[in-house]
Amino acid sequence: MAIKNVLIVDDSATDTHLLSEMLKKNGYTVLTATSGEDGIARAKKDKPDLILMDIVMPGMSGFEATRAITKNPDTASIPVIVCSTKGQETDKAWGLRQGAKDYIVKPVVEKVLMEKIRTL
């Protein structure tokens, strides 16, 4: 499946802006959500081709939102890449156990992000 539409779920306006610019520059259409709950709703409504998920957010964490998205039959086919400042191996392992396809530690390097998207 060709990835065209990417949903960024992140409560940080700065991180959302940086990721959006990287993606737009590389030809992707960007949707955004500022919370885990909003991310789940946008995933169900808009059916993006990929979700970039932050972990540390108020309310529902990105781990919980990733699990909800990847376990729901309506959204389970949407790949999730976690983009977080939490860089411990245990965080990465937990993110993958929640259903994420990959895990990137912030600050996100554009070349690394584009390579991970291409290899999905």
Side-chain angles (χ1 to χ4, degrees):
M1 170 184 77
I3 293 174
K4 295 182 183 76
N5 302 309
V6 181
L7 171 61
I8 300 170
V9 183
D10 199 318
D11 63 319
S12 163
T14 303
D15 288 338
T16 298
H17 176 75
L18 291 171
L19 287 169
S20 292
E21 291 303 307
M22 284 181 205
L23 291 163
K24 288 176 184 174
K25 189 167 83 177
N26 285 279
Y28 297 98
T29 301
V30 176
L31 307 165
T32 61
T34 56
S35 69
E37 295 88 347
D38 190 23
I40 293 168
R42 294 283 321 244
K44 287 178 183 173
K45 179 176 154 277
D46 298 320
K47 299 285 194 283
D49 301 317
L50 170 67
I51 298 170
L52 299 180
M53 180 73 69
D54 185 28
I55 295 302
V56 182
M57 296 182 282
M60 178 182 277
S61 77
F63 287 138
E64 294 169 299
T66 297
R67 185 170 53 243
I69 289 166
T70 60
K71 302 297 183 239
N72 183 320
D74 294 336
T75 53
S77 63
I78 304 169
V80 176
I81 296 177
V82 171
C83 295
S84 178
T85 55
K86 295 175 72 70
Q88 299 292 321
E89 284 305 313
T90 52
D91 296 317
K92 292 178 186 178
W94 188 244
L96 296 174
R97 286 195 59 193
Q98 304 316 301
K101 298 289 183 219
D102 215 327
Y103 197 108
I104 299 173
V105 178
K106 291 179 184 175
V108 174
V109 176
E110 183 176 339
K111 184 178 172 188
V112 172
L113 176 61
M114 293 308 128
E115 184 60 33
K116 290 191 181 280
I117 291 173
R118 275 192 289 276
T119 59
L120 280 176

